[in-house]
Amino acid sequence: MLQGGTSPARAAHEPNQTDPQPAGPLTAVVLAAGEGTRMRSAVPKVLHPIAGRPLVEHAVRAADGIEPDHLVVVLGHGRDAVAEHLEQVAQALHREVRPAVQEEQKGTGHAVGCALDVLPGDLAGTVVVTYGDVPLLDADTLRALLAEHDNAGNAVTVLTTVLADPNGYGRIVREEGGAVAAIVEHKDATDEQREIREINSGVYVFDAAVLRDALGRISTDNVQGELYLTDVLGIARGDGRRVGALVCGDPWLVEGINDRVQLARVGGELNRRLLDRWMRAGVTVIDPASVWVDADVELARDVVLEPGVQLRAGTRVDQGAVIGPDTTLYGCVVHAGASVVRTHGTDAEIGENANVGPFAYLRPGTRLGVRGKIGAFVEVKNSEIGEGSKVPHLSYVGDATIGEHSNIGAATVFVNYDGVQKHRTVIGSHCRTGSDNMFVAPVTVGDGAYTAAGSVITQDVPPGAMAVARARQRNVEGWVARRRAGTAADEAARRALADFDATGAAARDSGETHGEGE
């Protein structure tokens, strides 16, 4: 059983006038047992993601939005992997998500029967049935379906939609009063029925007692030899009960996914809707066609997303920050007024009014302070860079703490790994480190200290000191003439020496050599 505890928000919810009030407990069943052979994948179909969440998670979150007393997901192919993910979803939603296993896929009716088997035998109230591969279906639509079911006094209510091209879908045949007379599959429909454009989405609300009774009466006497959930509608009508329907005005909401073409198409539509929502909330998106945001990304007003931006799960961007162009962030926090240009980041935090990029790589554990800078071709990992401190150019900072208002010279490497363990480097505040330094951890540079260019720092540097850790330069004159005679380098050197000698002789003749006339 997937148990996530009790949600304070759920406990505090007060029904309003628009909330449906079904008689008795409310149960939501998500059917997610199918193999998904058309995906051509070793990954279960319902675990393929769009907008940063697997398909089944979108479905479970929508079902959770109607606040059911019981939420059941029917598992089949790849059930261990799906169940593992549902454990995480249950924790995130702070609720129980109960798994039911369909050992053999014998149709939708059989799948719903498997769900009822894990629920109390005397289950009453209302049962909502949805699917794990219909990711755009939302809680508002399910609430509207519940309201229609309750207000009309239906035993069964089906969610339908109207398509310009309904070819291949089951048609909704209605009576004059609007009640559903039948659902006719395309292959079985008459020419007149095929003109009907209202189709069955496969999403239903049932009276629990009617559902349980009818499932015990349906048969496998059909071409597929399966138990069809649609047969419940016919049984309910035969018993004199009302079967109704609600038309969903937005066909995208009931679009199912069977292959990767549909996965991409529905994913693109969801991204478009997410961006529309953010733009209406005050976010500027320069080129929506090239920007992708995941479902749980948080954006504040006056954020600007430049072309080529991808904001992945867990990312938050605060007011006035500018992201991009060409930036991908996973689980990052970007504080107000920051700029992040042509950067790839994961689990990093960027302070207010800080600047990152272009061509920066932020690895997990990067923390950049207020007005800090991580510049061009800089990689940072598991490091804290204090307020106003800068790593401007061509450097690697790993496992380090840098204080406030320090400057790290170009082409610096924090040498953090000895082949077995990682070690930490500490650079104090108001330090100035020279270009082409190597800090061999563990090592500490005190506040206000300097290091000379080209130094390899292996010992602690006291506060206010200048560290010079490089060999004295020695020039071996004539080495090229002796060891590389006849090469282009030798010829260039000979020309330069001849020019030097001529210049020096002329200067001596004119008495302008250094030191004369003083």
Side-chain angles (χ1 to χ4, degrees), residues 434-459:
S435 295
D436 197 25
N437 275 192
M438 290 195 178
F439 295 98
V440 183
V443 70
T444 297
V445 177
D447 291 351
Y450 281 58
T451 62
S455 292
V456 179
I457 305 299
T458 59
Q459 298 178 6

Side-chain angles (χ1 to χ4, degrees), residues 361-377:
Y361 181 23
L362 310 183
R363 293 169 60 189
T366 297
R367 301 288 181 266
L368 177 62
V370 175
R371 292 184 296 278
K373 180 179 179 62
I374 294 174
F377 301 102

Side-chain angles (χ1 to χ4, degrees), residues 44 147 157 169 187 192 212 302 318 333 354 361 363 392 401 411 471 506 517:
T157 308
Y169 291 93
K187 63 180 181 299
E192 182 180 0
R212 188 181 290 279
D302 295 319
D318 292 343
V333 176
Y361 181 23
R363 293 169 60 189
T401 299

Side-chain angles (χ1 to χ4, degrees), residues 29 31 74 100 107-118 211-212 215 229:
V29 175
L31 305 184
V74 180
T108 51
H110 178 247
V112 173
C114 293
L116 297 183
D117 287 344
V118 303
L211 175 62
R212 188 181 290 279
L215 287 176
L229 193 58

Side-chain angles (χ1 to χ4, degrees), residues 373-392:
K373 180 179 179 62
I374 294 174
F377 301 102
V378 173
E379 177 181 346
V380 183
K381 185 220 59 161
N382 191 32
S383 296
E384 298 175 8
I385 301 171
E387 179 178 348
S389 288
K390 300 177 181 180
V391 187

